[in-house]
Amino acid sequence: MSQQVKAVVARAKGAPVEVVTINVPDPGPGEAVVKVQSCGVCHTDLHYREGGINDDFPFLLGHEASGIVEAVGPDVTSVAPGDFVVLNWRAVCGECRACRRGEPQYCFNTHNATQKMTLAEGEDAGTELSPALGIGAFAEKTLVAAGQCTKVDPKARPASVGLLGCGVMAGIGAAINTGAVGRGKSIAVIGCGGVGVAAIAGAALAGASPIIAVDIDAKKLAKAVEMGATHTVDSSQVDPVEEIKRICAQTYEGAEGADVVVEAVGRPETWKQAFYARDLAGTVVLVGVPTPDMKVPEIPLIDVFGRGGALKSSWYGDCLPSRDFPMLVDLYQQGRLDLDAFVTEEIGIEDIEAAFDKMHHGDVLRSVVIL
Ligand code: APR
Ligand code: ZN
Ligand code: ZN
């Protein structure tokens, strides 16, 4: 059995997305059908539409979502119909080396639903859909693996907590999980889009100080201050490396940079700034996604050796959804983490192309589709 719902599909490379009817199968073993309530528009959705990830068109876009579980497969016990859940693109396997050694946040053997959703209309009706990041939540309902559903406080606002499903979690996690900032540690965040300001919010939550926001856009820096930055650096005007060193030395005598520098742009030149802006034995966290042609910038190996510390990349904020989502939703409900501030606008399922356009203009942290 299956049911038909409305959904947003990218049929061909570079073509505008379309609202179409799709078939959603009843959940089989290990699966759940979720009635989607909200889904944020992320750069990755546009990247899929442009063919930048792979050629498995047609894609069912959307992956930063919350909703209500409608039905579960026969063996599913982790969630039940009626549960309010945030979806994740990291359902861990429990069997790989990372899972066995007790670090499932590093599981790369993650899984999705095994059955396929399909197109229900057009000449290509019946074609299997590729859901973005294994989710596909620009849809009234979607089929996922039960492990992709994390139960959270049902009183929370869907549009806000759904954002934990991707960019906001990536940023918060880059600061607190990968960078492990906390009281007595300084942090600089280069790039203050949705991911960067989430890293700033995470650092504020963890008690880091100073929290230095770096961007080339003054509007982004103003937002960063609202989210908890203590200092701002406009790197179109001044050398960010020197500024970060100066600010850190004001608090911690002798500091030669920040304990943690998060790179949330995804470019070689900003990665190089991050490398030199960290204190001796400091940590660089790369969370911005580079394009395949970008290379690590030329840095004398002696500088890598001589400065010590760690160069890390942060994959989904090294999060463990079952641990991090409920915790962050509680902090939100208590007024200690302002997830509402990430929701710039609530839009309809028809408005996704317009939301892609706005993403380029830099005025939007997140457009969130309400279903
Ligand atoms: N120096 C500092 N900031 C920069 C620079 C630069 N040279 N170039 C761009 N920026 C800033 C932009 O002004 C913007 O505020 O980086 C920010 C990027 O933000 P967004 O475009 O909103 O992207 P975001 O959603 O935050 O994602 C950042 O992480 O997940 C990845 O694919 C995503 O690579 C992207 C990165
Ligand atoms: Zn695993
Ligand atoms: Zn995303």
Side-chain angles (χ1 to χ4, degrees):
M1 283 287 287
S2 71
Q3 52 181 327
Q4 298 199 332
V5 302
K6 269 212 202 111
V8 174
V9 165
R11 262 202 168 96
K13 190 169 177 154
V17 298
E18 299 165 49
V19 179
V20 298
T21 309
I22 64 165
N23 296 307
V24 179
D26 289 346
E31 294 175 340
V33 168
V34 175
K35 192 174 173 311
V36 180
Q37 291 181 305
S38 77
C39 186
V41 182
C42 174
H43 285 84
T44 304
D45 295 306
L46 181 56
H47 216 47
Y48 271 109
R49 192 203 80 170
E50 289 172 343
I53 300 201
N54 60 51
D55 277 330
D56 297 339
F57 290 91
F59 291 109
L60 173 57
L61 298 181
H63 61 274
E64 291 188 348
S66 67
I68 307 275
V69 175
E70 183 187 69
V72 297
D75 59 342
V76 172
T77 55
S78 57
V79 285
D83 285 347
F84 177 58
V85 294
V86 174
L87 301 184
N88 74 76
W89 43 271
R90 267 206 116 163
V92 301
C93 77
E95 288 164 6
C96 71
R97 181 161 137 66
C99 285
R100 282 179 200 271
R101 71 171 182 244
E103 296 182 308
Q105 67 272 32
Y106 302 127
C107 175
F108 277 82
N109 191 22
T110 54
H111 59 279
N112 306 123
T114 25
Q115 296 184 88
K116 297 289 182 189
M117 292 177 273
T118 56
L119 283 171
E121 59 176 87
E123 282 178 7
D124 46 357
T127 307
E128 290 185 353
L129 292 161
S130 306
L133 294 175
I135 294 182
F138 290 148
E140 292 166 324
K141 294 177 187 179
T142 190
L143 175 78
V144 292
Q148 291 181 267
C149 301
T150 306
K151 250 168 94 165
V152 299
D153 183 345
K155 294 188 292 299
R157 179 186 171 201
S160 303
V161 299
L163 298 184
L164 291 171
C166 185
V168 172
M169 186 68 245
I172 294 177
I176 66 177
N177 292 334
T178 318
V181 288
R183 236 164 358 101
K185 294 275 180 83
S186 54
I187 183 170
V189 177
I190 303 180
C192 299
V195 173
V197 293
I200 287 168
L205 206 53
S209 180
I211 300 173
I212 306 164
V214 182
D215 206 291
I216 49 175
D217 179 342
K219 286 194 304 282
K220 298 300 179 109
L221 292 172
K223 188 76 184 179
V225 170
E226 282 172 33
M227 304 298 282
T230 60
H231 297 73
T232 59
V233 174
D234 183 339
S235 56
S236 70
Q237 303 295 322
V238 294
D239 176 357
V241 176
E242 289 310 314
E243 270 304 286
I244 292 168
K245 286 178 190 282
R246 193 184 63 74
I247 294 164
C248 290
Q250 283 174 352
T251 308
Y252 305 115
E253 204 185 332
E256 293 192 23
D259 293 304
V260 176
V261 185
V262 173
E263 200 281 2
V265 183
R267 299 197 54 81
E269 56 275 25
T270 40
W271 191 88
K272 189 168 180 178
Q273 291 167 357
F275 178 88
Y276 283 110
R278 79 203 155 108
D279 200 357
L280 297 173
T283 303
V284 172
V285 177
L286 175 63
V287 63
V289 183
T291 57
D293 57 303
M294 289 179 189
K295 302 275 191 293
V296 176
E298 248 188 45
I299 289 175
L301 204 46
I302 190 70
D303 286 358
V304 178
F305 176 72
R307 298 177 70 90
L311 311 176
K312 293 179 146 189
S313 77
S314 186
W315 186 245
Y316 206 174
D318 292 335
C319 77
L320 199 49
S322 56
R323 175 194 65 192
D324 295 342
F325 289 5
M327 169 189 76
L328 293 170
V329 170
D330 281 356
L331 291 172
Y332 164 62
Q333 292 292 82
Q334 295 158 7
R336 295 158 76 187
L337 171 63
D338 187 4
L339 293 177
D340 297 337
F342 291 91
V343 183
T344 313
E345 57 170 6
E346 295 190 352
I347 62 173
I349 199 170
E350 313 278 347
D351 304 328
I352 288 169
E353 276 299 326
F356 284 150
D357 282 342
K358 284 183 205 152
M359 229 156 56
H360 291 305
H361 294 108
D363 301 330
V364 171
L365 279 183
R366 278 295 187 266
S367 303
V368 181
V369 177
I370 304 298
L371 290 127

